[in-house]
């Protein structure tokens, strides 16, 4: 088992192990055995006296690992404070989005919550720590809500999405919903959120749009 497994935690009723799903080119893929969908990816980094180089995305290699999505938009955010929470977000069909998330500066706890009604993992989640220097990223498929909490100041997150932003399809779930039992690294009374995210409904009040 790779040392990548040390970075993973999932909901309390789930195993914290990772399973190597495959390698293609410079990319390794790790799956969460008890929650099908999200994939932790690790790209090879090349370091020398100048610094570091990495090929952060190759459609050929990702497709060979089962991620053949066509990404149509790149997004970026910078969060000034430790304990900033963004999420839990998703877009409803017909503009549902898969995401490929990585950190370009700082460190975050990244979270994906299963919103597929027919899934045995409905309402469960995976969390993984991503950092600027680890070469790792999280693939969040359609049918999941996504969010993160910053662990360092001025953390910057870049992510690819498979559909454009559509305000009429924009939706989310309360980050601190007790039914989700996510072990966030920040207390509710000190977390930094947008007004919009602070008003998101609990999962029980949400009509999940994913079968």
């Amino acid at each position: 088992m790779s040392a990548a497994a040390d970075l993973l935690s999932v909901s309390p009723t789930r195993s914290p192990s990772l399973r190597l799903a495959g390698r293609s080119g410079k990319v390794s893929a790790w799956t969460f055995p008890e929650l099908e969908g999200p994939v932790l990816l690790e790209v090879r980094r090349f370091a020398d006296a100048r610094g570091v180089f990495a090929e952060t995305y190759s459609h050929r290699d990702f497709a060979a690992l089962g991620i053949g999505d066509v990404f149509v938009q790149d997004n970026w955010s910078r969060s000034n404070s430790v304990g900033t929470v963004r999420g839990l977000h998703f877009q409803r069909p017909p503009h549902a989005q898969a995401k490929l998330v990585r950190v370009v500066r700082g460190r975050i706890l990244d979270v994906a919550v299963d919103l597929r009604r027919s899934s045995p993992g409905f309402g469960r989640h995976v969390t993984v720590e991503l950092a600027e220097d680890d070469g790792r990223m999280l693939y969040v498929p359609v049918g999941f809500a996504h969010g993160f909490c910053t662990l360092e100041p001025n953390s910057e997150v870049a992510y690819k999405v498979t559909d454009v932003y559509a305000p009429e399809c924009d939706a989310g779930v309360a980050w601190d919903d007790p039914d989700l039992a996510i072990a966030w690294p920040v207390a509710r009374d000190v977390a930094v959120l947008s007004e919009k995210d602070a008003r998101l409904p609990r999962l029980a009040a949400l009509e999940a749009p994913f079968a």
Side-chain angles (χ1 to χ4, degrees), residues 64-151:
L65 293 168
I67 302 174
D69 306 58
V70 175
F71 295 101
V72 300
Q73 181 175 304
D74 283 10
N75 299 331
W76 168 87
S77 72
R78 180 177 63 216
S79 300
N80 299 328
S81 303
V82 173
T84 297
V85 176
R86 295 179 183 261
L88 300 158
H89 302 148
F90 65 94
Q91 282 195 171
R92 300 177 183 274
H95 294 289
Q97 296 175 325
K99 297 180 180 180
L100 184 63
V101 185
R102 67 187 180 95
V103 171
V104 295
R105 181 182 181 185
R107 191 164 53 98
I108 65 171
L109 184 74
D110 210 27
V111 182
V113 178
D114 192 348
L115 299 182
R116 302 168 296 179
R117 286 285 181 188
S118 62
S119 169
F122 177 74
R124 296 188 183 275
H125 65 277
V126 294
T127 67
V128 63
E129 188 175 303
L130 302 177
E132 62 183 272
D133 57 357
D134 62 12
R136 297 186 177 107
M137 59 193 79
L138 183 66
Y139 170 71
V140 182
V142 168
F144 283 73
H146 170 257
F148 63 85
C149 178
T150 57
L151 303 176

Side-chain angles (χ1 to χ4, degrees), residues 20-206:
L20 179 64
R23 295 188 175 95
S24 180
K26 304 176 183 68
V27 187
S28 300
W30 303 83
T31 56
F32 303 79
E34 299 185 30
L35 186 55
E36 180 184 0
V39 181
L40 180 66
L41 298 132
E42 185 173 10
V43 298
R44 187 177 176 189
R45 293 157 56 88
F46 299 89
D48 60 24
R50 300 168 297 172
V52 181
F53 172 83
E55 187 177 276
T56 59
Y57 177 73
S58 162
H59 181 77
R60 177 192 60 195
D61 291 336
F62 276 61
L65 293 168
I67 302 174
D69 306 58
V70 175
F71 295 101
V72 300
Q73 181 175 304
D74 283 10
N75 299 331
W76 168 87
S77 72
R78 180 177 63 216
S79 300
N80 299 328
S81 303
V82 173
T84 297
V85 176
R86 295 179 183 261
L88 300 158
H89 302 148
F90 65 94
Q91 282 195 171
R92 300 177 183 274
H95 294 289
Q97 296 175 325
K99 297 180 180 180
L100 184 63
V101 185
R102 67 187 180 95
V103 171
V104 295
R105 181 182 181 185
R107 191 164 53 98
I108 65 171
L109 184 74
D110 210 27
V111 182
V113 178
D114 192 348
L115 299 182
R116 302 168 296 179
R117 286 285 181 188
S118 62
S119 169
F122 177 74
R124 296 188 183 275
H125 65 277
V126 294
T127 67
V128 63
E129 188 175 303
L130 302 177
E132 62 183 272
D133 57 357
D134 62 12
R136 297 186 177 107
M137 59 193 79
L138 183 66
Y139 170 71
V140 182
V142 168
F144 283 73
H146 170 257
F148 63 85
C149 178
T150 57
L151 303 176
E152 294 184 5
N154 300 312
S155 288
E156 299 181 20
V157 176
Y159 55 100
K160 295 180 175 294
V161 294
T162 56
D163 208 327
V164 297
Y165 173 61
E168 69 278 12
C169 297
D170 190 29
V173 181
W175 72 286
D176 57 350
D177 183 344
D179 291 337
L180 299 180
I182 300 172
W184 293 101
V186 62
R188 182 184 307 176
D189 58 341
V190 296
V192 180
L193 292 97
S194 68
E195 292 184 8
K196 175 183 172 184
D197 286 356
R199 295 193 303 266
L200 290 174
R202 291 176 57 170
L203 180 61
L206 182 73

